[in-house]
Amino acid sequence: MYDQLLNLISTKIVLTDQDKELCQKYFRPVLFPKNCIIEEEGKVPKYLYFVLSGFMRLFYYNNFGDEVTTHINCPPGFFTSYSNFINQTKSNENVECITECELLRIAKIDLDSLLQNSAAFKDFSLWVFEQSLTYNENRSKDLATLTAEERYNKLIENYPEIIHNVPLQYIASFLGMNPKSLSRIRKQIIK
């Protein structure tokens, strides 16, 4: 169960047997059903999740009561309302399992202990932070500079499994368009 996480970390950082033991001590396996909200807006996120399998999304409700999807994962990887989790502040977003999800989760206090007791995990967490910053900068740039069709094409090129596992209304919201526009784009691409 921990192999995916340890293998991912090992591609960037050398892990000792003690590091691996600490990982298994602090990360707890959990399984959630489809359409389950596991972190609610208005509350401090309790956990950082490592996605072994399944698809999750981060979303909030806008002023009109519509759901706005801000992030969709592709396993494996980490997932939560990051800044709220790290700063232990109330989130305005929900974390939802779109499909059944097999996860490893770690509480903030345990993450802090892990980082204090393992230089390897501290180095890896810095790498994860850098990747997250890069991803968010690129996403902001894409939303500002690419057409809706270009954003969709980039998504299916980089993450084709999302198209087969995530409802179109979530994909449309994530790409900054309404579902009708996404349907039109998909029809044009099929022709």
Side-chain angles (χ1 to χ4, degrees):
M1 172 154 302
Y2 293 89
D3 289 346
Q4 283 185 44
L5 176 56
L6 294 173
N7 289 340
L8 174 65
I9 296 169
S10 295
T11 64
K12 304 297 173 197
I13 307 292
V14 175
L15 292 174
T16 65
D17 288 341
Q18 181 184 2
D19 293 325
K20 293 174 185 178
E21 288 173 17
L22 286 169
C23 177
Q24 292 182 22
K25 174 182 177 182
Y26 289 119
F27 277 92
R28 307 289 0 135
V30 291
L31 182 66
F32 288 103
K34 178 180 180 176
N35 300 325
C36 178
I37 293 179
I38 59 175
E39 299 282 357
E40 292 181 56
E41 65 180 298
K43 297 181 180 178
V44 176
K46 293 178 184 175
Y47 300 101
L48 171 65
Y49 300 91
F50 180 76
V51 183
L52 297 167
S53 67
F55 288 83
M56 302 171 75
R57 74 179 178 127
L58 199 58
F59 76 96
Y60 69 92
Y61 295 97
N62 67 14
N63 294 336
F64 302 105
D66 298 323
E67 294 179 2
V68 178
T69 299
T70 58
H71 191 65
I72 299 172
N73 80 299
C74 275
F78 292 94
F79 206 81
T80 194
S81 179
Y82 287 105
S83 62
N84 298 108
F85 174 76
I86 296 301
N87 296 310
Q88 289 295 276
T89 56
K90 289 181 183 178
S91 177
N92 67 336
E93 297 176 300
N94 299 283
V95 176
E96 179 182 29
C97 296
I98 299 169
T99 63
E100 180 178 270
C101 291
E102 185 180 7
L103 312 168
L104 296 173
R105 71 182 183 190
I106 187 169
K108 177 69 165 78
I109 192 167
D110 292 334
L111 179 62
D112 292 343
S113 294
L114 179 60
L115 297 179
Q116 286 175 359
N117 292 307
S118 171
F121 274 96
K122 194 172 207 173
D123 291 345
F124 182 71
S125 71
L126 179 60
W127 179 81
V128 169
F129 176 71
E130 290 168 349
Q131 296 304 304
S132 179
L133 279 177
T134 301
Y135 172 84
N136 286 325
E137 284 180 7
N138 288 335
R139 177 164 158 68
S140 293
K141 191 184 315 176
D142 288 352
L143 286 170
T145 61
L146 299 179
T147 66
E149 185 173 344
E150 289 170 332
R151 291 192 303 270
Y152 178 73
N153 284 329
K154 186 173 181 179
L155 179 74
I156 61 174
E157 181 180 316
N158 293 323
Y159 307 104
E161 58 276 15
I162 284 180
I163 303 304
H164 304 292
N165 292 286
V166 177
L168 289 180
Q169 72 264 23
Y170 300 160
I171 294 170
S173 176
F174 176 69
L175 293 174
M177 63 182 89
N178 65 46
K180 287 181 183 178
S181 297
L182 180 56
S183 291
R184 227 178 356 262
I185 290 168
R186 288 169 51 93
K187 285 178 187 173
Q188 289 172 351
I189 290 172
I190 292 170
K191 288 182 182 180

